[in-house]
Amino acid sequence: MEKIKMTTPLVEMDGDEMTRILWQMIKDELLTPFIDLKTEYYDLGLKHRNDTDDQVTKDSANATLKYGVAVKCATITPNAARMTEYDLKQMWKSPNGTIRAILNGTVFRTPIIVKGIEPYVKTWKKPITIARHAYGDIYLNVEDQVKEGKAELVFTDKDGNERRQTIKEFDADGGVIQGVHNCNKSIEAFARSCFNYALDMKQDLWFGTKDTISKKYDHKFKDIFQEVFDKEYKEKFDEAGIEYFYTLIDDIVARVVRSNGGMIWACKNYDGDVMSDMVSTAFGSLAMMTSVLVNPDGVYEYEAAHGTVQRHYYKHLKGEETSTNSVATIFAWTGALRKRGELDDIPELVKFSNKLERATIATIEEGKMTKDLAMITTMEETVTLNSLGFIQAIRKNLEDLL
Ligand code: NAP
Ligand code: MG
């Protein structure tokens, strides 16, 4: 078979620890034998981030803006222990945070559904995608613990005029206060990313906040979504036969649990943090989730939702066998290659990506899986494979499909 040719480079962001090992295995076994892989390679491994004063992270994000599609391996976010382990010059920021700030995006996370790994919610038949706004609210808050006195909300406009509201007059018991913000521009970008993604996936978009209680803050989110929808997306949604609908977040939660799934659920930053853990756990496993960052100009960065699986890596270093699940990392590659294929009009690349996903799911449904899945599956006869063995089993199925 002749190898599939690519025209535009895919931005490749390599990472750390066990996922870096899986990354190479996936390329060697599942990609380079079939594709003339054309990537612009950035090594986001912690050592190289430290050597380049983290410039490589910024460069990789800027390359993503230039080419439009990236695939990212999981990376270490340094903490005190990593400072000594890697002898770091400073405690570099989270690469995901840096990349998100440059791309200005929304993160979409969707469970990968296979027979034998059953959701805890019986009615869920189709995946539920969480679209999480990745800017502001409590993640950029100012807060304090106070004693007796008055807390006020003061806004000074550009001409120096003040607007002042009392938040609370505290008695001697004291209490806690917090200031949060968001920007209209960021909310608009969030809205557009969600509407574009819904059109891409041909799925309904649901959005909920607490606008009955938060009549200015949450209400602004509701209003901006509605304005952007009416002005730019209503007709496109009608044509695609999909729906946008807004209701209170409590109502959304109840509807989601009763639903069959198959929708995109847009969440404010904190709601998205909490609800994506709820949804992924209820569907089975973090290693069975896709994750893509989409910016309003249609730039895509695909990654796995889990970390670098440090505990497995240390076993690997000691020469012990590992059984690490590579599904999320494989789907990061297929997502990115399919998007590249769509943008560059290379149908073979799109077909290949679909087949690799089918081969991966088929392997698990045949009962061949890694240990994390073997522990939760409802299947009776399963074979637990090691990290490489699982990828090689997928390769067999892939070769049959090609
Ligand atoms: P983690 O890498 O997600 O792993 C936590 C545990 O979850 C593992 O020990 C393992 O459980 C299980 N697990 C996760 N992914 C798995 C997979 N693919 N296959 C099998 N089991 C899997 O989280 P962490 O250990 O808290 O973080 C390690 C490093 O990852 C940290 O340095 C953190 O900064 C980084 N991180 C990066 C990202 C990212 O780049 N997107 C996200 C989160 C964390 P068992 O040990 O019980 O088998
Ligand atoms: Mg969280």
Side-chain angles (χ1 to χ4, degrees), residues 238-284:
D238 287 346
E239 273 166 36
I242 57 173
E243 159 179 65
Y244 165 62
F245 112 98
Y246 177 91
T247 178
L248 279 177
I249 180 134
D250 352 12
D251 186 32
I252 296 252
V253 170
R255 283 169 189 257
V256 163
V257 171
R258 287 194 308 261
S259 77
N260 298 322
M263 80 293 285
I264 296 158
W265 176 7
C267 292
K268 286 176 63 200
N269 208 346
Y270 172 76
D271 300 336
D273 187 350
V274 177
M275 291 308 164
S276 68
D277 278 17
M278 193 272 286
V279 167
S280 66
T281 307
F283 271 102

Side-chain angles (χ1 to χ4, degrees), residues 29-308:
E29 295 287 332
L30 302 176
L31 302 175
T32 49
F34 313 103
I35 303 172
D36 222 341
L37 208 55
K38 186 170 177 168
T39 71
E40 194 163 291
Y41 180 85
Y42 293 87
D43 182 1
L44 266 53
L46 186 51
K47 183 180 179 314
H48 194 240
R49 272 184 277 150
N50 190 54
D51 289 345
T52 61
D53 294 340
D54 207 25
Q55 187 58 39
V56 64
T57 307
K58 292 165 199 150
D59 290 348
S60 72
N62 286 316
T64 307
L65 287 178
K66 177 175 166 194
Y67 293 115
V69 188
V71 58
K72 180 179 172 292
C73 180
T75 46
I76 293 168
T77 299
N79 56 12
R82 303 297 195 169
M83 292 291 289
T84 11
E85 186 183 354
Y86 285 83
D87 192 16
L88 299 180
K89 296 186 224 171
Q90 67 179 71
M91 205 185 283
W92 306 110
K93 286 192 187 153
S94 148
N96 291 323
T98 303
I99 293 166
R100 250 175 238 167
I102 294 175
L103 300 185
N104 178 27
T106 302
V107 179
F108 296 88
R109 291 202 160 157
T110 310
I112 299 160
I113 298 209
V114 296
K115 283 194 212 94
I117 312 290
E118 303 301 332
Y120 291 97
V121 180
K122 283 198 270 320
T123 51
W124 288 358
K125 302 293 174 213
K126 288 174 276 179
I128 295 167
T129 297
I130 297 282
R132 173 182 172 188
H133 186 207
Y135 178 86
D137 304 346
I138 62 163
Y139 300 86
L140 295 175
N141 67 1
V142 181
E143 53 178 24
D144 212 349
Q145 299 179 347
V146 296
K147 294 270 164 36
E148 186 167 6
K150 182 157 79 164
E152 293 178 290
L153 184 65
V154 181
F155 175 75
T156 313
D157 75 15
K158 63 182 190 350
D159 303 318
N161 306 309
E162 273 187 6
R163 234 168 38 226
R164 197 173 278 267
Q165 300 175 65
T166 300
I167 298 170
K168 177 75 185 167
E169 307 233 15
F170 287 100
D171 60 22
D173 265 353
V176 284
I177 51 174
Q178 161 166 260
V180 298
H181 83 278
N182 222 299
C183 302
N184 293 343
K185 231 195 195 144
S186 177
I187 303 170
E188 278 168 33
F190 172 39
R192 287 204 181 87
S193 297
C194 291
F195 292 131
N196 286 337
Y197 199 75
L199 285 169
D200 236 27
M201 303 301 291
K202 299 218 171 20
Q203 286 181 346
D204 293 342
L205 179 70
W206 296 10
F207 182 39
T209 71
K210 197 69 182 173
D211 65 281
T212 46
I213 300 297
S214 172
K215 292 184 199 307
K216 298 252 161 74
Y217 198 109
D218 278 18
H219 214 287
K220 192 73 188 172
F221 279 78
K222 176 184 177 181
D223 289 345
I224 287 179
F225 264 69
Q226 198 61 50
E227 275 162 35
V228 172
F229 180 71
D230 291 342
K231 225 183 274 166
E232 300 169 34
Y233 290 95
K234 193 172 180 329
E235 278 170 29
K236 291 179 197 157
F237 268 54
D238 287 346
E239 273 166 36
I242 57 173
E243 159 179 65
Y244 165 62
F245 112 98
Y246 177 91
T247 178
L248 279 177
I249 180 134
D250 352 12
D251 186 32
I252 296 252
V253 170
R255 283 169 189 257
V256 163
V257 171
R258 287 194 308 261
S259 77
N260 298 322
M263 80 293 285
I264 296 158
W265 176 7
C267 292
K268 286 176 63 200
N269 208 346
Y270 172 76
D271 300 336
D273 187 350
V274 177
M275 291 308 164
S276 68
D277 278 17
M278 193 272 286
V279 167
S280 66
T281 307
F283 271 102
S285 158
L286 207 59
M288 297 295 286
M289 286 274 282
T290 63
S291 180
V292 57
L293 180 85
V294 183
N295 97 343
D297 303 321
V299 169
Y300 296 78
E301 183 233 330
Y302 294 83
E303 56 166 15
H306 57 78
T308 59

Side-chain angles (χ1 to χ4, degrees), residues 353-371:
S353 306
N354 293 340
K355 284 180 181 167
L356 178 48
E357 289 182 0
R358 263 167 45 211
T360 305
I361 289 170
T363 306
I364 299 169
E365 292 183 344
E366 280 164 7
K368 296 175 190 151
M369 57 190 80
T370 45
K371 194 174 154 201

